[in-house]
Amino acid sequence: MKATSIKYRLLTATVALCALCALCACSEEWLKPEPLSFYTPENSYVDAAGFYSALTTCERNMRHEFFGDAAPMITEMILSDICVEGTTDKAGPAMDIDNTLLPDLDLNNGDRTKTGWYWEEGYKGIKYANVVVARIDDAEYESEAERNAVLGAAYFQRAYRYYKLTHQYGDVPYLDWEISEPKYDFYTYDRWSILEKIQSELEFAYQWVPEVVDRGRTSKAACGVLLMKVSMALGDFDRAIAVGREITAKYPLMTERFTPNRTKARTNLMHDLHSVEAKLDMSNTEGLMYVVSYPGVDGSDIINIMRNCVPFWNSGQMRTPDGQPGTSQAIDPDETDPEMDLNKTYGRGIGRARATNYFQYTIWRADKEVNDMRGVYNRDSWRAISDLRYNSPALKAAGNEWYGKNIIKLESMAIEDTIRCWYQWPHYKTFVPDPLATTWQGGQTPWYIYRSAEVWLMLGECYYWKNQPQEAAEALNVVRRRAGAEPLTASDITIGEILDERARELYYEENRHVELTRVSYLFAKTGRPCEVFGNRVYRLDNFSGPGGTGSNVKQEGINFWYDWVMAKNNFYNKGVSHRWAEYKISVHHILWPVPASAINTNLKGVINQNIGYPGAENNQPALTVPKEGTVLGPK
């Protein structure tokens, strides 16, 4: 993509944002109109280009989930099995979830939690998409196909938010039309009816949205992936399989090295696939949808993934066995070994996403993943603090024997430092150069939203639910063979194996909490015995537990999410403590608290609170989204 076209898209995004500000505000006044400029909807939304400018705002906001310090994606990861919050230098971060995840707390704060970000930004994206949906016939088009492509892209953007909201919050308010004046009478709608509605709209989108679009735009394949996810959430596995087969036929995995990384030492196909170069390469058939941030282009942002996910190797507690400070961001000016520059080789991390033993060790088996390029046995792909070397220039100047030797974990290291500083991480996934910065935290890059690798894993899960283990194994093996892992057999297939494979492949790509919750809803809805927990059966009528104010229930057998996280996350299940907090979760945290501000300012309606949080005693039965027509628009 040419830089001029990128700059044009960034400009149109700005114009669209100005127009949308006439309709939208943020924070607690998230529906109050506030005209700010002459870029009114009437002037802007006169043709397809104007509407695509509005949708560019949606696409830009998708990027914020993955980018920046304490990116919202971290919250999705730490409320699951693969990570916990690792910043142990202060009180407040989401460790003791019983006390940090409450409706009236600051739920959109990098030092606490970003659950509230998903609520606020989810409804912002829905509002932006609704402007297009409501005004779709106010513009002129070259053809019906052009009109339907615009509408399909808007349906995708709305469904993208509702898919997450209905798995993060369950039943939620349903907005399906432009709101042009203050409104204080919202009601909660049943999540199943929301999913059914967006499934039908995604069918429309999958039919009309084009195959070939600019990188970062909504594509037909992206609509297909989201249609698969929603269909799976509803138990419509046959439809998901049909769409998945169409996508994988058109978009094969990248199985040969294809970027300049192939000439670099200590790299492999996984480094190629997840490099900046791969995400810029238009021959990459695996990437189905991206968020974009281009190196050197105004308006781009840095992903900060190395800051978020890499251990805090620059801690003052990282000392040599003889007690000297061992690591430094600055290196000796005469040092010629590039791996001694820890800042530019690994990035300067602070350990926000601290990997669990499940993610570091359990899923990498010596008999099946020993040759897996994605795993810990491949020391080019994964790194540990013990792979790094003492690099402090002061050590070299003093002639200290430890200079250049591998870092050793000292018995004197406090638990706070062990949590934050001492773990392994998937270097091939997290390394994003940041050449314009002194401190490398993760620079500018496009980022995958959907890849065809995930489609294969979704196919495998569909076959699992259909009791077709051989077909499930074959689908998973497409991804495993590419990585170099041993193939699975039908007898290997369990929901645990499927979730393990998603963890191996989709770190910092999938919404891990969302996908665990989707599986939990399916077990509860279908009543299928869960083989990984002794054929335990779950139910929908107590999905979040018994409830009650202050009801931090820690009981197996209520929902799959809690049972799985407690079985796999060695921080929550062992009650790991440090001086600021103890790691704790409860059954009801499968669904997040609706921000109290949204409920309290909704003076004429009722927005339900999730069971287990204060305020749930005021709930009313959720409404049902009609199959035809609209809720807020024309009847």
Side-chain angles (χ1 to χ4, degrees):
M1 183 183 295
K2 295 181 179 179
T4 53
S5 65
I6 298 167
K7 290 179 180 178
Y8 172 76
R9 289 187 60 202
L10 292 170
L11 175 62
T12 57
T14 303
V15 172
L17 179 60
C18 292
L20 288 165
C21 283
L23 304 171
C24 308
C26 60
S27 188
E28 296 181 9
E29 296 182 315
W30 50 290
L31 292 172
K32 180 180 178 181
E34 189 176 347
L36 296 177
S37 80
F38 62 87
Y39 291 110
T40 64
E42 290 76 13
N43 292 336
S44 300
Y45 304 143
V46 297
D47 56 16
F51 281 125
Y52 278 127
S53 296
L55 294 176
T56 298
T57 306
C58 293
E59 293 157 354
R60 183 209 61 189
N61 281 17
M62 292 170 68
R63 183 179 73 190
H64 299 331
E65 180 178 3
F66 301 87
F67 281 63
D69 186 26
M73 174 60 69
I74 303 298
T75 289
E76 268 282 326
M77 294 163 66
I78 67 176
L79 291 174
S80 77
D81 49 355
I82 62 172
C83 293
V84 292
E85 171 63 61
T87 51
T88 54
D89 59 335
K90 53 187 171 294
M95 298 168 185
D96 179 356
I97 308 302
D98 290 347
N99 291 306
T100 57
L101 201 59
L102 293 169
D104 58 351
L105 297 182
D106 184 356
L107 299 177
N108 188 4
N109 184 307
D111 286 330
R112 296 182 181 275
T113 181
K114 289 292 184 75
T115 58
W117 181 93
Y118 282 97
W119 180 275
E120 295 172 15
E121 292 300 321
Y123 279 106
K124 283 182 185 178
I126 289 166
K127 287 187 297 177
Y128 302 157
N130 283 345
V131 172
V132 177
V133 172
R135 295 173 178 263
I136 192 66
D137 289 323
D138 293 348
E140 296 183 1
Y141 305 94
E142 294 182 359
S143 64
E144 180 186 11
E146 184 182 57
R147 179 255 188 203
N148 289 349
V150 173
L151 181 58
Y155 281 158
F156 170 86
Q157 291 295 334
R158 187 162 73 183
Y160 182 80
R161 274 72 180 188
Y162 271 124
Y163 176 75
K164 296 187 182 188
L165 288 169
T166 54
H167 288 89
Q168 292 163 336
Y169 295 95
D171 299 338
V172 293
Y174 181 68
L175 286 64
D176 63 355
W177 206 254
E178 178 184 7
I179 298 172
S180 56
E181 60 185 23
K183 182 176 174 62
Y184 305 100
D185 59 346
F186 294 98
Y187 288 87
T188 294
Y189 279 77
D190 168 67
R191 70 178 297 276
W192 301 103
S193 65
I194 294 175
L195 289 168
E196 289 173 357
K197 187 70 172 182
I198 64 175
Q199 182 190 38
S200 66
E201 293 173 346
L202 286 168
E203 290 284 8
F204 179 93
Y206 187 56
Q207 176 183 353
W208 290 103
V209 172
E211 293 267 10
V212 180
V213 296
D214 289 340
R215 187 142 295 179
R217 290 282 194 190
T218 301
S219 66
K220 177 182 177 70
C223 295
V225 174
L226 188 54
L227 175 57
M228 283 186 72
K229 288 178 178 284
V230 173
S231 297
M232 290 172 70
L234 290 168
D236 189 355
F237 303 114
D238 288 335
R239 182 55 183 149
I241 289 170
V243 174
R245 289 296 180 186
E246 292 172 359
I247 294 172
T248 54
K250 294 177 182 177
Y251 299 97
L253 301 187
M254 301 299 290
T255 57
E256 301 292 337
R257 303 205 63 176
F258 66 105
T259 77
N261 281 316
R262 65 182 178 272
T263 63
K264 296 179 182 178
R266 303 196 68 180
T267 65
N268 55 47
L269 177 58
M270 292 299 104
H271 292 82
D272 278 4
L273 181 63
H274 294 286
S275 65
V276 178
E277 294 86 352
K279 300 182 186 92
L280 295 171
D281 190 336
M282 300 308 292
S283 69
N284 183 348
T285 57
E286 187 165 337
L288 304 178
M289 187 171 188
Y290 305 75
V291 288
V292 294
S293 182
Y294 293 100
V297 174
D298 291 342
S300 291
D301 194 6
I302 63 172
I303 193 167
N304 264 323
I305 189 173
M306 296 191 287
R307 176 175 170 84
N308 288 327
C309 300
V310 173
F312 187 27
W313 53 259
N314 201 36
S315 167
Q317 301 306 311
M318 202 67 69
R319 293 180 173 269
T320 62
D322 60 359
Q324 301 304 309
T327 56
S328 171
Q329 184 172 315
I331 62 172
D332 187 273
D334 296 326
E335 181 58 65
T336 59
D337 184 346
E339 290 204 4
M340 291 292 282
D341 189 342
L342 305 183
N343 175 49
K344 293 185 177 180
T345 301
Y346 306 107
R348 202 279 203 177
I350 66 168
R352 287 196 184 277
R354 203 280 187 195
T356 61
N357 284 355
Y358 166 75
F359 183 56
Q360 293 183 81
Y361 306 114
T362 305
I363 61 175
W364 309 107
R365 299 161 295 192
D367 61 333
K368 290 186 181 294
E369 283 83 39
V370 66
N371 296 316
D372 194 322
M373 288 182 285
R374 305 166 298 178
V376 294
Y377 294 107
N378 189 306
R379 301 317 298 175
D380 294 334
S381 294
W382 275 68
R383 302 295 170 90
I385 289 295
S386 57
D387 295 322
L388 278 57
R389 290 181 282 167
Y390 294 114
N391 75 333
S392 172
L395 294 178
K396 185 175 182 180
N400 189 292
E401 64 175 317
W402 289 101
Y403 182 79
K405 292 184 179 180
N406 290 83
I407 297 174
I408 294 174
K409 183 179 180 182
L410 303 180
E411 292 183 2
S412 61
M413 185 176 286
I415 188 170
E416 289 89 350
D417 300 311
T418 300
I419 291 170
R420 195 175 188 189
C421 305
W422 203 271
Y423 60 92
Q424 302 185 92
W425 74 98
H427 171 66
Y428 76 94
K429 256 302 182 66
T430 62
F431 182 72
V432 180
D434 198 3
L436 300 180
T438 301
T439 301
W440 281 31
Q441 302 178 92
Q444 298 170 337
T445 180
W447 198 254
Y448 296 120
I449 298 296
Y450 299 141
R451 287 187 291 125
S452 48
E454 184 181 8
V455 177
W456 281 110
L457 301 185
M458 292 161 67
L459 285 169
E461 187 186 336
C462 287
Y463 287 122
Y464 161 82
W465 291 107
K466 285 172 61 65
N467 295 309
Q468 296 177 256
Q470 182 59 45
E471 290 81 355
E474 290 171 0
L476 298 183
N477 284 338
V478 173
V479 177
R480 290 178 62 80
R481 278 194 299 270
R482 189 266 296 275
E486 293 297 312
L488 302 173
T489 65
S491 62
D492 293 320
I493 297 301
T494 65
I495 194 62
E497 188 65 56
I498 290 164
L499 291 174
D500 292 352
E501 195 61 37
R502 290 187 68 92
R504 296 180 192 110
E505 182 68 26
L506 298 173
Y507 177 84
Y508 213 87
E509 292 180 65
E510 69 168 339
N511 289 105
R512 187 66 176 181
H513 166 270
V514 161
E515 296 304 309
L516 290 177
T517 304
R518 176 183 58 76
V519 170
S520 302
Y521 268 118
L522 279 171
F523 273 119
K525 182 179 182 181
T526 63
R528 173 174 176 150
C530 181
E531 70 284 345
V532 298
F533 294 121
N535 291 324
R536 185 174 291 159
V537 175
Y538 300 98
R539 308 195 319 268
L540 283 175
D541 60 5
N542 71 334
F543 190 70
S544 295
T549 301
S551 178
N552 294 315
V553 175
K554 304 180 191 308
Q555 176 184 331
E556 294 182 353
I558 293 176
N559 62 58
F560 173 82
W561 172 85
Y562 178 81
D563 289 353
W564 179 262
V565 172
M566 289 298 284
K568 305 301 180 182
N569 190 309
N570 61 296
F571 285 79
Y572 297 130
N573 67 23
K574 287 182 170 57
V576 173
S577 299
H578 57 83
R579 62 175 173 158
W580 297 109
E582 177 183 349
Y583 288 89
K584 292 186 291 186
I585 61 166
S586 296
V587 167
H588 69 282
H589 294 134
I590 186 172
L591 298 178
W592 298 345
V594 175
S597 58
I599 294 175
N600 295 339
T601 57
N602 188 51
L603 301 177
K604 297 181 181 180
V606 177
I607 297 176
N608 288 346
Q609 183 56 267
N610 280 314
I611 299 298
Y613 300 102
E617 65 275 8
N618 300 319
N619 289 357
Q620 293 184 3
L623 304 178
T624 300
V625 176
K627 294 185 181 297
E628 303 294 336
T630 67
V631 170
L632 299 181
K635 302 301 180 183

